Amino acid sequence: MDKIKILQEAYSHFSQKLKDLDSHIKTVQDAANQESKSSVGDKYEIGRAMAQNEVFMLKTQFESLRIEVEKLGSLLLSDSKDTASSGSLIKTSQGQFLLGPALGKWKSEEKGVFYFISLDAPLGHALQGKKKGDSFEVNQRKDKILDIF
């Protein structure tokens, strides 16, 4: 399995999500600004507050995603190892996992579904330091590492 190609494809996908989120933030902000030009009184205050709240939530999401995408970008430079650690692509009998950024589920066009999980997650803790062939358990579910890239 070509780990670098998978990481590049994922980086491109999540970078596009960042761009889309940024565009959505600008759209909501523009709509709020237009609302303020055409409304007066309580309706203006409520509409403006709701729009500002949405912009704040979107900016929070954007910043969280930006940090995780940055972590993903740094993994492009990491070396493969025999033990599971940050940047490891791990194939188990139950799925494919990438340790590092907490980006959730992602489907590669060529290689199937991957789960990007943090080392701080229970599964990340269970996988960290394991080697090919090792077994592990999370939430009373047993699994085995088939390969590490």
Side-chain angles (χ1 to χ4, degrees), residues 93-143:
S93 55
Q94 304 227 355
Q96 301 180 99
F97 304 93
L98 187 116
L99 293 180
L103 292 166
K105 184 178 177 180
W106 169 70
K107 186 172 189 223
S108 166
E109 293 178 14
E110 298 176 16
K111 303 293 183 182
V113 175
F114 291 86
Y115 296 91
F116 288 75
I117 58 169
S118 167
L119 290 167
D120 295 330
L123 180 56
H125 276 295
L127 289 170
Q128 191 169 12
K130 300 285 189 212
K131 295 183 180 213
K132 181 178 176 178
D134 287 351
S135 294
F136 62 96
E137 185 175 333
V138 176
N139 296 330
Q140 300 169 346
R141 292 180 71 187
K142 294 183 180 184
D143 202 351

Side-chain angles (χ1 to χ4, degrees), residues 28-37 39 42-55:
V28 171
Q29 187 67 59
D30 289 346
N33 292 341
Q34 290 296 351
E35 176 84 16
S36 68
K37 292 178 183 176
S39 299
D42 289 343
K43 181 181 173 188
Y44 160 74
E45 295 297 328
I46 292 170
R48 182 86 172 147
M50 289 174 61
Q52 289 296 57
N53 189 39
E54 185 174 356
V55 168

Side-chain angles (χ1 to χ4, degrees), residues 18 62-72 101 103:
L18 267 179
F62 179 87
E63 188 58 23
S64 295
L65 182 58
R66 186 194 64 73
I67 289 167
E68 296 303 316
V69 169
E70 198 172 276
K71 289 179 191 175
L72 180 60
L103 292 166

